[in-house]
Amino acid sequence: MYEVRVEADFAAAHFLRDYNGKCENLHGHNYKVYAHVSGSKLNEGGMLLDFGMLKSSLRDVCKEMDHTNLNDNPVFDQNPSAERIAEYIYSRLIEKLKENFNLDLSVSSPDGRKLYAVDVFETETSRARYTI
């Protein structure tokens, strides 16, 4: 099995509802995001996937959230935890790869390549992962 990983980042504000602590107040993070793709076959050029395709699509998704208040995005239902952000990025990245490059990296991908995990770091030592 092969794996490739790219990273991107964005800065955004959020606050957490139903939380007792300092994170219930509006605050911000410089998020770092990793996207992982796996598969068992390489293409004719010896690659699982062109890094540039994955990186540009991930950057597009991160750009949508950059310098926003994530609580304003209805998909998070007013509670944009790192776990929910990772799931959202996963879903949007699948859509962007189809839109930008006609690539299907979903679980049902016909060639076996798939986006299998998205990591969202709020700090260097705190990460949430969404995986299939």
Side-chain angles (χ1 to χ4, degrees):
M1 190 65 77
Y2 300 96
E3 177 190 337
V4 296
R5 184 198 86 187
V6 298
E7 64 182 76
D9 55 50
F10 68 99
H14 76 147
F15 59 89
L16 299 177
R17 290 182 160 203
D18 305 316
Y19 182 86
N20 283 332
K22 62 184 182 178
C23 293
E24 67 187 329
N25 298 315
L26 183 64
H27 63 283
H29 295 284
N30 293 315
Y31 292 94
K32 183 173 280 194
V33 180
Y34 293 168
H36 304 261
V37 172
S38 66
S40 60
K41 296 179 187 173
L42 302 180
N43 66 17
E44 304 80 35
M47 295 183 289
L48 177 65
L49 176 70
D50 184 319
F51 285 120
M53 296 165 81
L54 184 57
K55 188 183 294 186
S56 69
S57 296
L58 180 60
R59 285 180 177 165
D60 286 350
V61 172
C62 289
K63 187 177 181 179
E64 294 170 0
M65 295 181 292
D66 193 40
H67 285 79
T68 67
N69 179 346
L70 298 174
N71 292 78
D72 293 339
N73 188 330
V75 74
F76 298 124
D77 191 29
Q78 286 293 306
N79 217 8
S81 63
E83 293 86 348
R84 285 182 170 161
I85 296 166
E87 180 182 13
Y88 173 76
I89 292 172
Y90 176 91
S91 298
R92 286 291 295 135
L93 186 51
I94 291 287
E95 292 171 3
K96 277 289 181 189
L97 287 162
K98 276 189 179 177
E99 181 182 306
N100 292 349
F101 302 104
N102 198 30
L103 274 176
D104 180 5
L105 294 183
S106 67
V107 176
S108 58
S109 170
D111 65 7
R113 293 181 299 178
K114 64 184 176 212
L115 176 65
Y116 81 89
V118 169
D119 297 329
V120 171
F121 289 81
E122 286 191 344
T123 69
E124 287 190 26
T125 59
S126 300
R127 167 189 64 96
R129 172 176 274 192
Y130 181 80
T131 187
I132 55 164

